[in-house]
Amino acid sequence: MHIGLPHDASLDGFRIDRLIALGAAIQIPLLIILALWLLASVKLWGPRHAAVFDRGSVRGLRPRLAISLSIVALGVLVAQDAISWAQSNRDLDGHFWNFAAAEADPRTIRIEVNAHQWAWAARYPGPDGEFNSKDDALTLDDLRIPVGLPILIELTSTDVIHDFYLPNFRLKQDVIPGRVTRITFTATETGAFEIACSQYCGVNHYKMRGLLTVLPAEDYQRWLQLASANSQALDDPADRAAHWGWDWQAETPRP
Ligand code: CUA
């Protein structure tokens, strides 16, 4: 059994973990204090305690103390929310949603993903660097990327709403018919990682599972050439469903 967050294999995943840790650091002590307070109250003011209505008694909590404690608790919660909000915005603008930086980087690997019930179809530009051309490499439930390079994926769906989920990269993005959404990230280690669908999308939702393999850069290049050649050999011009690619959308729609 695995307890805790999934292994993080990404450059920016720690930003999500940091946010979760901050929330836990404040809320777990708060939960313990509240639980102890509740138990103490049950013990002190149980059935054997005579119910006497009074104000400012020794055993009852004094109003001034109650107000002070409430202000402290409110201050802690407001501070936590303010820090989380500011940090989240900085992380989104600077990293998770910084598509402009990925577009500008000449090393960026671009991939198109077309989700459908119940699989992830992927398209890589072949040696010509263009999407939707004859030398595209096509895969099913099998994404491969090089380690250490920025990855930019554009996603759409041909049927219902799916959700592209990479737990080991702390990424989740809705995949919506009729529009293109995107994610960007960088893998920091090689290995095989799960792609899950995180949106209920029909009876076989649970089967909508793929594999993301992170390879050393040279292995990736070799694999891509092979995949491109294979896809060209298998290409059937009459199979319209297989030609689902689109021209890369360089404009950055704000998610
Ligand atoms: Cu696709 Cu759930």
Side-chain angles (χ1 to χ4, degrees):
M1 193 173 73
H2 177 84
I3 294 177
L5 295 169
H7 176 69
D8 176 23
S10 70
L11 195 60
D12 290 308
F14 77 94
R15 297 173 195 284
I16 301 290
D17 298 356
R18 182 173 63 185
L19 203 62
I20 295 171
L22 173 69
I26 290 167
Q27 279 153 27
I28 291 174
L30 210 60
L31 175 74
I32 293 170
I33 291 169
L34 285 173
L36 290 178
W37 195 329
L38 187 68
L39 288 174
S41 303
V42 167
K43 180 98 179 85
L44 286 172
W45 291 283
R48 270 183 290 167
H49 174 78
V52 182
F53 181 78
D54 59 24
R55 286 196 175 85
S57 77
V58 181
R59 301 202 81 183
L61 200 56
R62 281 150 299 177
R64 207 181 289 170
L65 180 63
I67 290 169
S68 310
L69 282 175
S70 303
I71 289 172
V72 170
L74 197 68
V76 169
L77 289 178
V78 167
Q80 184 209 332
D81 278 354
I83 293 169
S84 305
W85 182 78
Q87 208 169 59
S88 301
N89 275 302
R90 223 171 38 223
D91 288 347
L92 286 174
D93 291 342
H95 304 275
F96 295 110
W97 289 349
N98 193 352
F99 301 112
E103 286 285 8
D105 194 327
R107 303 169 305 151
T108 296
I109 304 294
R110 291 172 171 76
I111 308 169
E112 289 182 355
V113 168
N114 183 24
H116 55 87
Q117 289 170 319
W118 286 273
W120 305 100
R123 177 179 296 268
Y124 295 74
D128 70 355
E130 295 284 319
F131 279 98
N132 229 1
S133 65
K134 271 178 82 75
D135 67 349
D136 284 2
L138 302 172
T139 67
L140 196 67
D141 290 330
D142 174 18
L143 258 74
R144 306 205 187 189
I145 59 167
V147 67
L149 295 181
I151 310 297
L152 188 51
I153 305 181
E154 290 195 340
L155 305 129
T156 198
S157 163
T158 51
D159 39 47
V160 300
I161 298 175
H162 302 273
D163 192 307
F164 190 76
Y165 180 29
L166 298 174
N168 300 98
F169 300 81
R170 306 294 190 265
L171 286 174
K172 209 181 246 189
Q173 174 62 58
D174 265 357
V175 182
I176 302 163
R179 62 175 287 189
V180 171
T181 51
R182 26 171 62 193
I183 57 168
T184 181
F185 64 101
T186 301
T188 51
E189 58 187 85
T190 56
F193 304 97
E194 183 179 23
I195 303 169
C197 181
S198 186
Q199 181 78 48
Y200 182 71
C201 54
V203 288
N204 287 322
H205 158 70
Y206 72 100
K207 281 188 187 167
M208 197 162 164
R209 190 164 184 257
L211 205 63
L212 178 86
T213 309
V214 184
L215 299 166
E218 55 275 22
D219 291 6
Y220 168 76
Q221 285 304 336
R222 210 172 309 134
W223 168 79
L224 185 61
Q225 279 178 14
L226 209 66
S228 167
N230 282 344
S231 300
Q232 284 182 74
L234 293 171
D235 183 55
D236 172 6
D239 183 2
R240 290 182 59 97
H243 296 90
W244 50 263
W246 59 88
D247 294 335
W248 187 257
Q249 300 197 0
E251 283 305 304
T252 302
R254 183 81 191 185

